Amino acid sequence: MASDGDGAAAVAALGISGGGGDDWAPPLRRNLPLLAPHEVKLAKLLLSEGQSHLFEHWPEPGVDDDKKRNFFDQVCRLNSSYPGGLASYIQNARKLLADSKAGKNPYDGFSPSVPSGEVLTFGDDNFVSLEEAGVKEARHAAFVLVAGGLGERLGYKGIKVALPRETTTGKCFLQHYIESILALQEASCKLVEGECNTKIPFVIMTSDDTNALTVKLLESNSYFGMEPSQVHILKQEKVACLADNDARLALDPNDKYKIQTKPHGHGDVHALLYSSGLLEQWKSTGRKWVLFFQDTNGLLFNAIPSALGVSATKGYNVNSLAVPRKAKEAIGGITKLTHVDGRTMVINVEYNQLDPLLRATGHPDGDANCETGYSPYPGNINQLILEIGPYMEELQKTHGAISEFVNPKYTDSTKTAFKSSTRLECMMQDYPKTLPPSAKVGFTVMDAWLAYAPVKNNPEDAAKVPKGNPYHSATSGEMAIYRANSLILRKAGAQIADPVIDTFNGQEVEVWPRITWIPRWGLIFKDVKAKVHSNSSVSQRSALVINGKNITIQGLSLDGTLIVNAKDEAKFNVTGHIENKGWTIQHVDHKDTSEKEEIRIRGFKFNKVEQLELNY
């Protein structure tokens, strides 16, 4: 902040008169001598964008001066963290709010059609060769995790990446992601002749809510085996809230010297990568791909090798990972949109917009299942693979700004007032909206059982999901991991018992044998097939934990719980009949506060009666 003399000089230099003039709110005019030149510019910007109400309550100089200074610190942050600054934010907001009030359809003039992409079948020759191609490419990749959200919606107070992915081992999502990246790094390097020192970069986008807790989780666990220099934290800032249709910025109800802010959405990741300089650094060291993923899909890395193989063999600039979706399922559909003026784009269309869009463009049944039993529009799972060269070219033009939307909750049908302040939002997967028609945008579909089991709904909301639709809860997310691993072992030739049906927290799920392994043991299907022989069997009540890279399973008959730990160089064959009382599953009520939150939201825990642990 300036001294009084400096402030007066700054005011004079900007040609602002000390008296009169409607442009300068009188309370602000009296306080101008407090401001440094750059703050006077910010004040001028706010006033020119119709924000004089922000200063109406300001008292004389000498009262609350520190709070006034803090106000401009915040304005400076909001201005520098948004592409184009606060003026752009306010102007974009006015336009979007006007469109919202008028009920304007964002897809007006567009006709939907099914885009072209790859549909994979797990375990067939094509899938196996694409997985191998993807592993080869992995050393040219960088991974970006968007992890700005807390687990409140789940009924969990911590950060979502700290939640156990499954409770057989208790490993959290972040540990699994890092171990998977390290396994890809090691496997990819092995395919290079000579020495390979590739370290795959890993970026985590955090927010004010998650930053300190994410750093603490990494540091207290020695980065789960990753070198700290590989990990980059990019923190997103929040955006200003909007009080009305004129895009007047909302003051914080608890502090009149503070603009109320809310999260802008995971679309910020593109602007943060652009401004960080990391992309140039990666490209200069031979990186070709940037893979984006979200915080709580425990099956994601089953899909990464083959999808990366598709990007490399098909030359996709943008590859969206997808799963088959039922018509009207609450998941966006990947759609090709063609405008009457000839423009085309391949984009995620939210499920509540896809059905009316289809009906309005000559499809009387709207979003309907086709002969496969699924919608022809594959379900977007918000995992993207971008080719780094074209991505950087696009960001040079846009600086990472992503197509935004606004979702105000109006008090009534006149749409003149909001129930509470709103803000602009953006989504990572809307990146292709600004691409030229020449861009190669495709998708890769694989089975949901293999690739998609997000954990986002709390027990009460999950229990209300219509029967047959996915719960997307901590309960279903964990059970999906056991199902996927059981089905992969079955495909490899082992005899895995059928599941039983049980209900936890009001959700009916399949309970398969509790089978888990470290990523370095079974990174791709070829690895699993080489280590599992057809004369092995696992009963439904069993748990099998494989902690070691060179463990083979041959002639094993398991009825109980077996944990196998082996050092890297140790080669060990698990064989013979193993029977013990094992671990039983105990039901837990989600309202039972005597249990930890991460257990309550699952509705079950393991009662570890008996086990065999082998250490090599």
Side-chain angles (χ1 to χ4, degrees), residues 512-531:
W512 289 79
R514 276 65 70 203
I515 299 172
T516 68
W517 57 74
I518 58 168
R520 292 176 74 222
W521 180 80
L523 181 65
I524 56 176
F525 183 54
K526 189 179 176 185
D527 297 342
V528 177
K529 226 174 163 183
K531 294 170 185 173

Side-chain angles (χ1 to χ4, degrees), residues 319-508:
N319 184 4
S320 294
L321 272 64
V323 293
R325 65 180 278 282
K326 292 282 188 185
K328 302 179 184 62
E329 189 183 326
I331 169 177
I334 295 172
T335 309
K336 181 176 182 179
L337 296 175
T338 306
H339 198 268
V340 286
D341 63 13
R343 280 180 292 145
T344 63
M345 57 181 171
V346 176
I347 197 73
N348 170 65
V349 175
E350 288 303 325
Y351 69 96
N352 56 351
Q353 295 173 313
L354 183 58
D355 188 68
L357 176 62
L358 284 161
R359 289 179 191 278
T361 52
H363 304 82
D365 294 336
D367 182 19
N369 292 328
C370 61
E371 62 282 355
T372 61
Y374 290 96
S375 165
Y377 298 92
N380 167 53
I381 64 170
N382 271 4
Q383 327 290 340
L384 296 174
I385 303 177
L386 304 184
E387 190 184 350
I388 201 165
Y391 180 47
M392 285 174 66
E393 281 170 37
E394 181 63 17
L395 294 192
Q396 293 293 341
K397 294 180 230 161
T398 64
H399 293 192
I402 292 295
S403 170
E404 292 167 306
F405 61 95
V406 69
N407 189 18
K409 303 287 185 278
Y410 300 106
T411 53
D412 57 37
S413 59
T414 64
K415 296 188 176 179
T416 48
F418 302 161
K419 287 180 182 173
S420 61
S421 61
T422 188
R423 85 288 198 180
L424 300 190
E425 297 177 72
C426 63
M427 297 192 291
M428 171 175 85
Q429 66 271 26
D430 281 345
Y431 163 74
K433 279 189 176 175
T434 55
L435 294 179
S438 57
K440 286 197 76 175
V441 181
F443 61 80
T444 303
V445 180
M446 48 195 99
D447 293 314
W449 69 259
L450 179 73
Y452 189 54
V455 174
K456 51 191 182 182
N457 289 328
N458 63 48
E460 291 94 335
D461 290 346
K464 291 175 197 158
V465 167
K467 195 172 166 65
N469 280 13
Y471 297 115
H472 293 168
S473 66
T475 312
S476 62
E478 176 159 354
M479 291 302 177
I481 289 162
Y482 305 137
R483 176 179 61 186
N485 290 344
S486 294
L487 291 173
I488 290 167
L489 289 191
R490 258 191 194 176
K491 189 79 179 169
Q495 294 163 48
I496 309 297
D498 286 336
V500 297
I501 302 293
D502 204 342
T503 302
F504 306 99
N505 282 342
Q507 302 157 61
E508 192 177 274

Side-chain angles (χ1 to χ4, degrees), residues 122-178:
F122 175 76
D124 70 7
D125 291 346
N126 180 48
F127 185 87
V128 168
S129 70
L130 285 168
E131 279 202 318
E132 290 185 280
V135 169
K136 196 174 175 185
E137 287 295 319
R139 67 181 180 274
H140 304 306
F143 285 83
V144 180
L145 167 64
V146 292
L150 292 168
E152 290 162 326
R153 182 176 155 193
L154 282 166
Y156 176 65
K157 291 192 185 74
I159 52 172
K160 288 191 278 186
V161 291
L163 266 173
R165 172 178 172 260
E166 37 76 21
T167 50
T168 299
T169 66
K171 285 184 182 179
C172 69
F173 280 100
L174 189 57
Q175 178 171 359
H176 174 71
Y177 295 151
I178 286 177

Side-chain angles (χ1 to χ4, degrees), residues 14-210:
L14 279 166
I16 300 161
S17 60
D22 296 330
D23 291 343
W24 288 86
L28 174 62
R29 197 184 319 122
R30 290 194 292 274
N31 282 280
L32 281 174
L34 292 171
L35 307 189
H38 75 281
E39 291 162 335
V40 176
K41 280 183 182 171
L42 288 171
K44 202 171 184 181
L45 178 155
L46 287 170
L47 293 178
S48 68
E49 292 298 337
Q51 307 295 330
S52 61
H53 66 285
L54 296 172
F55 306 104
E56 282 168 359
H57 60 278
W58 276 30
E60 302 295 320
V63 181
D64 288 346
D65 287 354
D66 285 347
K67 290 182 176 178
K68 295 166 189 168
R69 293 183 175 102
N70 290 341
F71 171 83
F72 274 102
D73 286 345
Q74 185 195 22
V75 170
C76 192
R77 275 199 314 279
L78 291 169
N79 189 53
S80 62
S81 63
Y82 185 84
L86 260 176
S88 287
Y89 181 78
I90 294 162
Q91 288 156 20
N92 292 342
R94 271 200 200 101
K95 183 183 180 307
L96 287 166
L97 286 164
D99 289 349
S100 173
K101 187 178 180 184
K104 190 176 172 189
N105 177 2
Y107 298 115
D108 203 26
F110 283 102
S111 296
S113 58
V114 181
S116 65
E118 291 298 298
V119 180
L120 305 186
T121 303
F122 175 76
D124 70 7
D125 291 346
N126 180 48
F127 185 87
V128 168
S129 70
L130 285 168
E131 279 202 318
E132 290 185 280
V135 169
K136 196 174 175 185
E137 287 295 319
R139 67 181 180 274
H140 304 306
F143 285 83
V144 180
L145 167 64
V146 292
L150 292 168
E152 290 162 326
R153 182 176 155 193
L154 282 166
Y156 176 65
K157 291 192 185 74
I159 52 172
K160 288 191 278 186
V161 291
L163 266 173
R165 172 178 172 260
E166 37 76 21
T167 50
T168 299
T169 66
K171 285 184 182 179
C172 69
F173 280 100
L174 189 57
Q175 178 171 359
H176 174 71
Y177 295 151
I178 286 177
E179 287 181 354
S180 299
I181 293 167
L182 291 174
L184 275 167
Q185 178 178 292
E186 181 186 18
S188 195
C189 258
K190 277 215 167 123
L191 301 174
V192 183
E193 286 182 23
E195 199 174 335
C196 170
N197 296 313
T198 295
K199 299 282 181 269
I200 295 177
F202 180 36
V203 169
I204 307 173
M205 183 179 83
T206 61
S207 65
D208 286 333
D209 293 331
T210 64

